[in-house]
Amino acid sequence: MELTDQIKQAAAYIQNKKISEPQIGIILGTGIGKLGDKIQADVIINYEEIPHFPLSTIEFHSGKLIYGNLGGKKVIALQGRFHAYEGYTMQQITFPVRVLKQLGVRELIITNAAGSMNPAMKKGELMVIEDHINLQPGNPLAGKNYNELGSRFPDMSKPYNHSMIQKLSDIAAHMNLTLHKGVYVSVQGPNLETKAEYRYLRMIGADVVGMSTVPEVIVANHSSLPVAAISVITDECDPENLKPVSIADIIETAGKAEVFLTSLIYKYIEEVNF
Ligand code: HPA
């Protein structure tokens, strides 16, 4: 079946659950599910019910679409996302973004956990992504291009929406919250990096590294869907002083910083007007 038909079927299934005119889509990253719990949910749909949606494989990604009111707006949050290291194709990873666009969301907000190579960006702090480097294998736009979805060669000179970044920065300043700005590099994982790799990633111009987000951002740009992404810094990756880090540590740190991330995004959604 054509991708365009799969998108329409998935969107129709969701709309039939009485989901109308969602304004903002949110993709929640590893260890960052709480924002989903703040939504006054009207509808919750498990991914496995939705036609053509991939299934989550790892237990801390619960795999739910939550629709409801957050800060006075109609939002759809995707709790549980898909990663290349789980073996999904780039098309599968980005399918939910296609469906959000089809459902009519006007903006997309993405969160993730990331390791910092920049000594000024500390564990537990937040960074809004200004630009990225894609080191994941494959590209979600490879293969047939559907002109109704977007152009063959999408521009990536401003992959992250400037006015969303500005608004998030203003709100963070108001809240007295540290919000760095920087470059995110995406790798496939699932292993964390070696010292030599962290040195290399810093050298090519990245501030933080993670295993997600970039495929979704490429598809958001292809779809002309304005997108902003915020990283929670969960570990410090100084190659001269590298300590072992476990995924459990990463999730624990994400959980602690989540309070700040949640209030930043909540305020943003409350204040934004289209
Ligand atoms: N590397 C890759 N992905 C990550 C890291 C990291 O250090 N921390 C959190 N996600």
Side-chain angles (χ1 to χ4, degrees):
M1 189 190 288
E2 298 286 334
L3 174 63
T4 41
D5 292 328
Q6 293 183 1
I7 295 166
K8 283 179 197 144
Q9 282 188 1
Y13 181 89
I14 293 165
Q15 275 161 336
N16 269 337
K17 299 275 178 184
K18 301 215 171 12
I19 288 182
S20 63
E21 300 185 357
Q23 295 163 290
I24 300 172
I26 307 166
I27 297 176
L28 299 167
T30 301
I32 311 166
K34 284 221 181 71
L35 190 64
D37 305 335
K38 282 200 103 180
I39 298 172
Q40 291 157 16
D42 295 326
V43 182
I44 297 178
I45 310 175
N46 290 326
Y47 287 172
E48 46 273 20
E49 283 180 49
I50 307 172
H52 313 296
F53 245 57
L55 304 178
S56 303
T57 61
I58 38 182
E59 88 222 42
F60 49 84
H61 292 146
S62 50
K64 278 185 279 191
L65 181 153
I66 304 166
Y67 167 78
N69 188 303
L70 185 70
K73 304 283 189 317
K74 289 289 179 197
V75 306
I76 292 181
L78 298 177
Q79 207 175 43
R81 68 133 65 92
F82 307 102
H83 300 87
Y85 63 75
E86 295 168 279
Y88 296 110
T89 66
M90 287 288 152
Q91 269 89 358
Q92 289 177 308
I93 291 169
T94 53
F95 186 73
V97 178
R98 298 283 189 202
V99 174
L100 286 174
K101 170 73 182 183
Q102 178 74 24
L103 290 169
V105 303
R106 311 270 287 277
E107 289 186 350
L108 177 63
I109 300 171
I110 299 178
T111 65
N112 62 45
S116 167
M117 285 84 63
N118 182 337
M121 301 185 185
K122 302 291 186 201
K123 185 169 157 170
E125 293 180 339
L126 305 179
M127 185 194 94
V128 63
I129 305 179
E130 279 194 304
D131 207 347
H132 71 225
I133 300 171
N134 184 17
L135 292 187
Q136 296 210 18
N139 187 300
L141 307 183
K144 175 172 172 181
N145 187 63
Y146 295 87
N147 289 325
E148 69 237 71
L149 299 180
S151 76
R152 173 78 286 189
F153 301 106
D155 175 59
M156 288 294 275
S157 60
K158 285 189 201 136
Y160 299 84
N161 183 272
H162 280 197
S163 70
M164 293 175 80
I165 293 174
Q166 189 57 51
K167 194 159 192 63
L168 286 163
S169 303
D170 291 346
I171 291 168
H174 237 93
M175 294 168 68
N176 256 328
L177 185 69
T178 302
L179 182 66
H180 300 287
K181 286 185 194 168
V183 175
Y184 175 95
V185 59
S186 73
V187 294
Q188 180 177 24
N191 56 285
L192 299 171
E193 287 65 38
T194 64
K195 290 178 205 165
E197 286 167 342
Y198 285 129
R199 210 173 285 125
Y200 160 76
L201 296 172
R202 181 77 182 128
M203 203 184 289
I204 62 172
D207 297 292
V208 303
V209 54
M211 303 175 197
S212 65
T213 304
V214 167
E216 292 99 321
V217 168
I218 291 173
V219 165
N221 276 267
H222 185 244
S223 317
S224 303
L225 176 60
V227 58
I230 305 166
S231 296
V232 174
I233 295 168
T234 51
D235 51 307
E236 291 169 14
C237 311
D238 171 6
E240 310 321 318
N241 184 27
L242 193 63
K243 296 179 196 74
V245 51
S246 69
I247 193 72
D249 296 338
I250 287 177
I251 293 171
E252 191 190 331
T253 308
K256 283 185 193 152
E258 193 180 8
V259 190
F260 304 114
L261 182 68
T262 300
S263 38
L264 174 63
I265 295 178
Y266 184 89
K267 264 246 136 323
Y268 174 87
I269 290 174
E270 208 173 38
E271 289 188 12
V272 73
N273 41 50
F274 301 111

